[in-house]
């Protein structure tokens, strides 16, 4: 056996080395271990087995087309009601101009999410995606969470299959992983009772996968959830991945309390974030990639997370968009140049590899 810990982690270590699936109880044991180094070593073993020293990043841009939302999630400081002075909805033409600037800076992906807005016609989405594809055929459109798809299917009275096919035909290439928050009840209802429930979120992910649309998955942690809620979330994602196989990557999202209805909470500690990355890597044996989202972790902790199981840092973001700025621990502008991201990865001891959204390597001509 490669590992010999002075802790009760040895039994779990043997299973990890043998490539065996961990149970819910073992997920809890990993979370509650006092030996952070041992947990990190195990997750790093798994990460290096899959990806060696490679750490992926991409050149991307976020576009939050509207902040008007009928939900009022307790953790969210981004949403507005339509009557609010700072409520907005970007036009299709504005979306195209934002994409144009991003493409000029080398972006391969536009990440599009927004509020649940009853003032927007369905044609807005198909027009936006079609215009993006017409102008930038090689730009990957990663758009709409399962929560947005659920809202759209109900609001525009379409079957899930029809909705997904029409969005895909217009230019939606894949979907981001937001809206998963925490699956377990009653926690989910307490923080976001206007959103679809866990079964519905997972059902829609499965339907996207069946339609050939890859999706990501997230978990919002560090608010009112329990450790059991977190491990339950990971187990449910793992079960769905067994069934439909279309999740590309898992992104734990560290709760950022300021200006939200939960602003009295402290948010997760650095140790908690590292544990969450590590437990995710070890529990999600059927997910290829675990992302340390630097925007929410902050740069130094994101670097450290690469030693705790993460193999992706997300992207340059180029210009974060309003939602990204609302939840980022990086005060001020939320962006990094490609060189800054490469330096961040290399200074942490890894090899930086630019990827596209579906994890193909991006080769660029040297300048
Ligand atoms: O669903 C909202 C979270 C998510 C806060 O798929 C907050 O590659 C922390 O899903 N503190 C949207 N988090 C962002 C998201 C995402 C981000 C980056 C990459 C990908 C991907 C997906 O942001 C929401 C919610 O869970 N969020 N408010 C907050 N105060």
């Amino acid at each position: 056996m490669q590992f010999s810990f002075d802790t009760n982690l040895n039994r779990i270590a043997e299973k990890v080395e043998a490539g065996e699936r961990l149970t819910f109880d073992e997920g809890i044991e990993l979370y509650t271990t006092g030996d952070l180094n041992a947990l990190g070593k195990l997750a790093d073993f798994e990460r290096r087995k899959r990806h060696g020293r490679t750490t992926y990043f991409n050149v991307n841009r976020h576009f939050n087309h509207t902040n008007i939302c009928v939900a009022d999630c307790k953790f969210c400081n981004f949403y507005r009601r339509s009557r609010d002075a700072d409520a907005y909805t970007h036009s299709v033409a504005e979306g195209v101009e934002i994409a144009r600037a991003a493409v000029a800076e080398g972006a391969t992906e536009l990440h599009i999410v927004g509020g649940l807005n009853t003032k927007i016609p369905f044609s807005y989405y198909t027009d936006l995606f079609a215009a993006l594809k017409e102008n930038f055929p090689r730009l990957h459109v990663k758009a709409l969470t399962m929560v947005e798809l659920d809202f759209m299917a109900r609001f525009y009275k379409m079957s899930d299959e029809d909705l997904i096919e029409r969005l895909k035909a217009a230019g939606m290439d894949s979907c981001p992983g937001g809206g998963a928050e925490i699956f377990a009840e009653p926690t989910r209802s307490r923080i976001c009772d206007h959103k679809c429930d866990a079964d519905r979120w997972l059902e829609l992910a499965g339907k996207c996968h069946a339609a050939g649309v890859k999706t990501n998955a997230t978990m919002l942690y560090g608010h009112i959830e329990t450790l059991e809620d977190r491990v339950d979330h990971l187990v449910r994602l793992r079960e769905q991945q067994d069934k439909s196989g279309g999740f590309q990557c898992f992104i734990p999202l560290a709760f950022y309390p300021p200006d939200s209805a939960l602003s009295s909470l402290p948010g997760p500690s650095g140790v908690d974030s590292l544990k969450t990355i590590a437990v995710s890597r070890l529990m999600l044996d059927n997910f290829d990639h675990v992302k340390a989202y630097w925007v929410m972790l902050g740069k130094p902790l994101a670097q450290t997370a690469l030693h705790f199981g993460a193999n992706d840092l997300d992207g340059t973001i180029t210009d974060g968009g309003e939602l990204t700025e609302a939840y980022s621990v990086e005060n001020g502008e939320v962006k990094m140049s490609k060189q800054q991201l490469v330096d961040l990865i290399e200074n942490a001891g890894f090899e930086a590899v630019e990827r596209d959204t579906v994890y193909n390597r991006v080769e660029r001509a040297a300048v």
Side-chain angles (χ1 to χ4, degrees), residues 221-223 230 254-258 262-270 272-273:
Y221 68 94
H223 43 91
R230 295 187 197 177
F255 175 50
Y256 179 70
L262 300 175
S263 61
S264 58
L265 298 178
S269 69
D272 195 9
S273 288

Side-chain angles (χ1 to χ4, degrees), residues 6 9 11 30 68 87 90 101 149 153 187-188 196 211 252 269 276 348 361:
D6 291 337
L9 284 186
R11 189 178 32 78
L30 288 172
I68 298 173
H90 286 300
L149 294 184
T187 309
R188 186 174 186 81
C196 65
S269 69
T276 300
R361 280 177 184 241

Side-chain angles (χ1 to χ4, degrees), residues 235-286:
V235 170
R236 287 203 219 188
L237 284 175
R238 190 171 72 181
E239 284 168 1
Q240 183 60 47
Q241 182 76 325
D242 278 345
K243 287 186 214 153
S244 56
F247 290 120
Q248 302 206 90
C249 109
F250 177 66
I251 312 131
L253 298 174
F255 175 50
Y256 179 70
D259 301 324
S260 74
L262 300 175
S263 61
S264 58
L265 298 178
S269 69
V271 168
D272 195 9
S273 288
L274 293 177
K275 282 186 168 185
T276 300
I277 295 269
V279 176
S280 305
R281 179 59 286 165
L282 292 167
M283 291 299 290
L284 294 177
D285 53 25
N286 52 6

Side-chain angles (χ1 to χ4, degrees), residues 31 50-51 56 142 175-183 201-202 209 214-222 225 229-241 246-254 272-294 297 305-306 308-314 355 357 359:
Y31 248 127
R50 291 164 181 266
H51 305 289
Y56 293 101
K142 182 174 92 179
C175 297
E181 320 310 358
I182 205 83
F183 289 146
W201 191 97
L202 291 164
H209 301 169
K214 302 268 191 201
T215 70
N216 287 341
T218 58
M219 173 176 76
L220 183 68
Y221 68 94
E225 85 290 1
D229 290 346
R230 295 187 197 177
V231 177
D232 167 80
H233 193 95
L234 298 174
V235 170
R236 287 203 219 188
L237 284 175
R238 190 171 72 181
E239 284 168 1
Q240 183 60 47
Q241 182 76 325
F247 290 120
Q248 302 206 90
C249 109
F250 177 66
I251 312 131
L253 298 174
D272 195 9
S273 288
L274 293 177
K275 282 186 168 185
T276 300
I277 295 269
V279 176
S280 305
R281 179 59 286 165
L282 292 167
M283 291 299 290
L284 294 177
D285 53 25
N286 52 6
F287 276 62
D288 288 339
H289 306 286
V290 173
K291 197 185 273 187
Y293 188 39
W294 66 266
L297 292 175
L306 297 178
F308 279 75
N311 66 290
D312 189 322
L313 279 193
D314 200 76
R355 62 162 175 87
T357 311
Y359 288 86

